[in-house]
Amino acid sequence: MSGSSESLVFSTGSATGPTAVLNSIKDTSMPAPGKGPKESYSFWPLFLGVTSIVAAYFLARKDPTATLSEVYALCSEQANGVHIVDHDNSKAQCVVVNGSYIADIGSLETIKNSWDDKSLQIRFVKPGAIIIPGISDSHAHILEYGATQQLPLEEARSIQDAVARVREYILLTPEIYNDTSRVITGGGWDHTVWPTTGWPSAVRVNFHATDLAYSSKYQSDLDADGVIRGRHVILQSKDCHALWVSSKVIEASLPLPETIEGGVIVRDDSGRPTGVLLDNAQDLLKQPELTESDLLRRFKVAVRDAHRYGLTSIHDAGLDPVSLAFFKRKAETGTLPIRIYGMTYFNEDEPYWGNTTIPIIGSVNDRLSARSVKIFADGALRTGGAALYETYSDNPATNGFMRLDAEVLFDVIPKFLRDGWQVNVHAIGDRANGIVLDAFEASLSGANVTALRPRLEHAQMMTPADMIRLGKLGVIASVQPAHVISDMWYAQDRLGPDRVKSLYAFRSLVDNGARITLGSDFPVESMNPLFGFYAAITRKSPTGQSPHGPEGWFPEQRLSREEALRGMTIDAAYASFTETYLGSLEIGKRADFTVLSRNIMNIPVEEILGTEVYATVIDGKPVYGSI
């Protein structure tokens, strides 16, 4: 990424309209931690976006490039079947689309009176259906989802079951079965639901026949299977913070260091790697470079499912250089079929690139932006890497770990903010969130936070004092409600009955003034945004269960339906600087919307997950279903 120079199209990157954006560029200095006097913070990307922001804001009702067939009204039989998701949560009966833009909203009668009904097609959604703004997922991993879908392991209920699924995949895939050099990738395994404790492994390659204890202990693991043995197998965990690999992969990556900061190489009693690597240790594996065909196959799978679930926009939480280059190639050829807001991956071992790389803002029809940086502060709760103030209740030997030193955060966060980048930091444990908020607080002193919009990715576990501080600082909380109903079954054992109350405390975050945006973290959780919507408002499993009974797990922390809907539409747009043209069905915005078979805003919660997506529409044209 360092030193790149690109010809880019700048689009909206505003606050709330042209005047607000111009005002936001004022007050552009803040102290950098440890730097003494204030240094000037340049917001040149915002300046460059002003012209297009103004154009979008004052968009006329009619798109002059639209043909007659691209001007239509989509209406509901109900007077309130269109959920606009504006400031007042208004509703309407019809939305008028002119080419790629929303041209009007109102009742059927009003629309007929305002438009020549001879030239305006009037279409109706099916009875009971509603129209909402196009759904955004604020935290996901696009190409990683495509990779895991090749060999999904989330349903595996034991090590033996997971191994059997790998074996079956090989046997049913001739090009892999007949070529032992092919790398086999999959993901989604979850050791927290397996009956055994501890990690899975690969069999030690050269164990002696007399080492029966070792052979018996690991007889169900990867290399014990004759079909799998000798192949390169790389399996990502459900939370994406651990890799389970075969001995062949370990051999190809030798020598491995004894330790690695911010990560763990799981070893047996003799000190040999067992085949599981956590967090930063995952980067030690030598993996083959992905081909364009590999990337395209993964991308097509992810986009196909995203459209099917009603998604029109995805915030990709951690673009490595390969992924970002692929998305840029697709955007430049006009073939990005979904909007992508990319978070560029931060590698502390590389030179600082914030002042040498140009942010991508609304490239090619607002389909691709990459104006933020993603930094990992700690690991994950599921794998025991979340950084806590106190030790884990189920493992008093550790309190997790930081993947970066606090000094790095205090150094790079103000630099990225100064150079016009949004800063998004992964933080799970209460200690990690506290340290990151310390760095944000120091970096944001005197700054216009609305112009910068820093984000805590996950904001999963916070002390009450830090929840208050989050709201006061104006840092966005990017949360994933589906994690609640996955983690609630083991969370108290891991944290104890008192600390667990500060986990996924969404209501407390909102009540303390935090702005939240919702995502799924797919492939960690289901891509279906209605699953996250359901989890946010119920905090119970799809079958209506929770450790605290039918009212849900800590039901006082539930979000309202309005808050959840805004979190996956207009608030997601705000979190990606796109609220002037996405996130709501207001006149002049892009015609991105989703048609649902049921009104999720008032049906019984038990019916939400049975709701279908009738259509997903981007720029006025269906990419899934029909209208």
Side-chain angles (χ1 to χ4, degrees):
M1 294 299 295
S2 179
S4 66
S5 61
E6 304 140 12
S7 176
L8 301 170
V9 179
F10 285 86
S11 182
T12 47
S14 65
T16 53
T19 304
V21 175
L22 292 171
N23 288 337
S24 75
I25 301 173
K26 302 173 183 177
D27 188 15
T28 57
S29 62
M30 65 185 88
K35 300 295 184 181
K38 290 186 179 181
E39 59 183 71
S40 176
Y41 272 47
S42 169
F43 292 104
W44 56 266
L46 290 176
F47 276 113
L48 291 174
V50 167
T51 301
S52 54
I53 294 167
V54 173
Y57 189 76
F58 292 110
L59 240 161
R61 277 178 49 165
K62 293 191 176 182
D63 179 355
T65 65
T67 65
L68 201 59
S69 62
E70 293 176 318
V71 182
Y72 62 88
L74 189 62
C75 302
S76 167
E77 292 183 348
Q78 312 164 51
N80 58 357
V82 178
H83 292 255
I84 299 171
V85 194
D86 57 4
H87 180 270
D88 299 316
N89 291 319
S90 306
K91 300 175 184 65
Q93 185 176 10
C94 299
V95 56
V96 178
V97 174
N98 184 282
S100 299
Y101 298 96
I102 302 295
D104 209 350
I105 51 176
S107 67
L108 179 59
E109 181 179 2
T110 300
I111 296 301
K112 284 183 175 180
N113 290 335
S114 299
W115 294 75
D116 181 359
D117 56 9
K118 292 181 180 179
S119 63
L120 179 68
Q121 301 179 55
I122 298 178
R123 309 172 187 174
F124 287 88
V125 297
K126 294 180 181 179
I130 64 169
I131 305 164
I132 64 173
I135 303 173
S136 291
D137 191 313
S138 293
H139 186 110
H141 306 274
I142 298 172
L143 296 182
E144 290 78 2
Y145 175 89
T148 61
Q149 293 307 297
Q150 295 175 47
L151 175 53
L153 297 173
E154 190 165 355
E155 298 302 317
R157 287 296 175 261
S158 66
I159 294 176
Q160 297 93 325
D161 187 6
V163 171
R165 289 168 189 256
V166 176
R167 172 190 173 91
E168 181 181 25
Y169 173 74
I170 295 171
L171 293 174
L172 294 177
T173 312
E175 63 269 27
I176 290 178
Y177 178 75
N178 295 323
D179 184 358
T180 57
S181 68
R182 292 283 293 269
V183 177
I184 299 162
T185 60
W189 58 271
D190 182 5
H191 68 292
T192 68
V193 301
W194 293 346
T196 55
T197 58
W199 299 105
S201 73
V203 171
R204 190 187 313 164
V205 179
N206 296 316
F207 65 86
H208 297 291
T210 55
D211 195 355
L212 298 179
Y214 188 95
S215 176
S216 173
K217 179 180 179 182
Y218 295 128
Q219 63 183 349
S220 63
D221 290 16
L222 286 175
D223 291 354
D225 187 282
V227 173
I228 300 173
R229 189 182 307 120
R231 297 178 184 268
H232 295 78
V233 182
I234 303 173
L235 308 174
Q236 185 78 63
S237 65
K238 175 178 170 63
D239 62 8
C240 295
H241 284 262
L243 286 175
W244 172 22
V245 302
S246 62
S247 296
K248 201 72 174 175
V249 175
I250 292 291
E251 289 174 355
S253 303
L254 295 175
L256 296 175
E258 286 300 312
T259 61
I260 179 171
E261 186 175 356
V264 175
I265 303 169
V266 179
R267 300 177 183 274
D268 64 16
D269 294 339
S270 301
R272 298 180 178 90
T274 66
V276 172
L277 300 97
L278 309 180
D279 289 298
N280 287 354
Q282 297 176 98
D283 298 333
L284 298 173
L285 292 180
K286 296 177 182 177
Q287 301 188 41
E289 291 187 6
L290 295 171
T291 66
E292 190 74 6
S293 177
D294 293 331
L295 295 169
L296 188 59
R297 181 174 62 252
R298 295 179 179 188
F299 185 58
K300 285 182 175 180
V301 168
V303 171
R304 177 202 65 197
D305 289 354
H307 288 165
R308 182 164 59 92
Y309 285 128
L311 292 172
T312 59
S313 177
I314 299 172
H315 301 188
D316 197 300
L319 294 179
D320 61 26
V322 172
S323 300
L324 179 56
F326 173 76
F327 292 145
K328 285 169 59 179
R329 289 194 298 274
K330 301 298 287 181
E332 288 163 0
T333 58
T335 54
L336 260 188
I338 197 165
R339 302 194 196 281
I340 298 175
Y341 183 76
M343 309 178 200
T344 304
Y345 178 71
F346 171 74
N347 185 342
E348 68 171 319
D349 296 324
E350 296 178 351
Y352 173 73
W353 48 263
N355 58 344
T356 58
T357 303
I358 302 174
I360 303 172
I361 303 178
S363 175
V364 188
N365 296 323
D366 300 316
R367 293 297 175 102
L368 176 65
S369 289
R371 58 172 299 171
S372 63
V373 59
K374 168 71 176 299
I375 300 173
F376 283 89
D378 66 342
L381 186 68
R382 185 180 297 270
T383 47
L388 308 179
Y389 284 118
E390 305 295 336
T391 60
Y392 283 87
S393 295
D394 59 352
N395 186 7
T398 181
N399 65 338
F401 50 81
M402 293 290 291
R403 291 177 64 169
L404 287 177
D405 287 336
E407 291 77 10
V408 175
L409 296 172
F410 276 86
D411 176 46
V412 301
I413 287 178
K415 287 180 179 177
F416 278 113
L417 294 174
R418 175 198 64 201
D419 291 326
W421 295 86
Q422 182 188 45
V423 177
N424 304 341
V425 186
H426 162 113
I428 301 290
D430 52 4
R431 178 163 60 100
N433 276 288
I435 292 172
V436 174
L437 284 177
D438 288 342
F440 274 142
E441 188 169 22
S443 303
L444 293 170
S445 177
N448 185 334
V449 180
T450 301
L452 301 173
R453 305 186 192 185
R455 293 169 46 163
L456 269 180
E457 300 301 316
H458 306 303
Q460 199 163 296
M461 179 181 177
M462 305 178 79
T463 65
D466 278 342
M467 293 182 197
I468 295 171
R469 187 161 56 137
L470 177 72
K472 289 183 177 179
L473 287 174
V475 174
I476 297 167
S478 174
V479 302
Q480 300 75 44
H483 286 337
V484 175
I485 56 180
S486 289
D487 294 358
M488 62 184 180
W489 303 105
Y490 71 85
Q492 182 161 318
D493 290 340
R494 189 143 298 177
L495 298 172
D498 292 324
R499 282 188 300 175
V500 75
K501 296 175 183 177
S502 65
L503 185 68
Y504 302 118
F506 300 153
R507 171 54 50 202
S508 296
L509 294 178
V510 172
D511 288 349
N512 280 298
R515 188 160 190 166
I516 64 172
T517 182
L518 306 187
S520 68
D521 205 7
F522 72 71
V524 178
E525 303 289 355
S526 168
M527 182 188 280
N528 184 358
L530 296 185
F531 189 79
F533 179 89
Y534 169 87
I537 68 172
T538 68
R539 298 176 70 94
K540 56 187 180 182
S541 73
T543 57
Q545 300 171 310
S546 85
H548 295 165
E551 290 301 308
W553 189 62
F554 294 111
E556 67 276 9
Q557 295 293 347
R558 292 179 297 201
L559 295 178
S560 70
R561 298 194 197 208
E562 288 75 15
E563 289 167 334
L565 180 61
R566 295 183 70 87
M568 54 199 237
T569 54
I570 191 62
D571 289 333
Y574 177 85
S576 56
F577 298 88
T578 57
E579 78 281 3
T580 58
Y581 60 93
L582 296 176
S584 63
L585 299 178
E586 297 178 88
I587 296 172
K589 292 195 174 185
R590 286 196 173 272
D592 289 11
F593 54 88
T594 304
V595 182
L596 301 176
S597 65
R598 301 175 184 176
N599 189 347
I600 60 171
M601 305 306 289
N602 60 26
I603 60 174
V605 293
E606 295 78 15
E607 298 179 17
I608 290 173
L609 295 179
T611 301
E612 300 176 47
V613 173
Y614 280 161
T616 305
V617 178
I618 299 178
D619 281 337
K621 298 178 178 63
V623 293
Y624 173 80
S626 60
I627 53 176

